[in-house]
Amino acid sequence: MSHSLRLELADGELLVLQLSRRCRIYARSGAHWLTVDGQDICLQGGEYALLPASKLLLEGHGQLEMHPFTDTPLRSWLSIASHYQTV
């Protein structure tokens, strides 16, 4: 069974995730800015990135979908470190 997570960010939100496994993140809509391992990545709707196991900072607006590279339960590949509303 394949597990995935859909997120929707609004303007002014910052989400910090801890990825314990590599994953693929897909921008379903909007514009998103990611920082992982000191690298900044910009995604527009329809684009994706492959991410290492690491701390991930997300901000922007629109929908994102995340998929781990292995069939592991959701709780074992991702944890929410913090969420901020900056506006």
Side-chain angles (χ1 to χ4, degrees):
M1 172 190 247
S2 178
H3 296 277
S4 66
L5 175 68
R6 283 194 186 179
L7 301 168
E8 184 160 352
L9 295 175
D11 285 332
E13 286 185 300
L14 173 65
L15 184 62
V16 182
L17 302 174
Q18 182 64 49
L19 304 173
S20 59
R21 303 233 192 283
R22 295 181 314 132
C23 76
R24 178 179 180 264
I25 188 165
Y26 171 69
R28 296 179 59 83
S29 65
H32 307 275
W33 298 270
L34 295 67
T35 301
V36 63
D37 279 348
Q39 178 184 1
D40 292 327
I41 301 168
C42 296
L43 295 178
Q44 300 290 323
E47 298 178 333
Y48 73 93
L50 304 176
L51 304 176
S54 184
K55 184 178 283 186
L56 170 65
L57 283 70
L58 292 170
E59 63 180 309
H61 63 276
Q63 292 185 352
L64 293 163
E65 190 168 318
M66 299 177 72
H67 300 270
F69 277 108
T70 59
D71 286 338
T72 56
L74 199 57
R75 69 182 180 278
S76 66
W77 68 273
L78 169 75
S79 62
I80 297 175
S82 54
H83 174 262
Y84 303 95
Q85 184 69 35
T86 59
V87 175

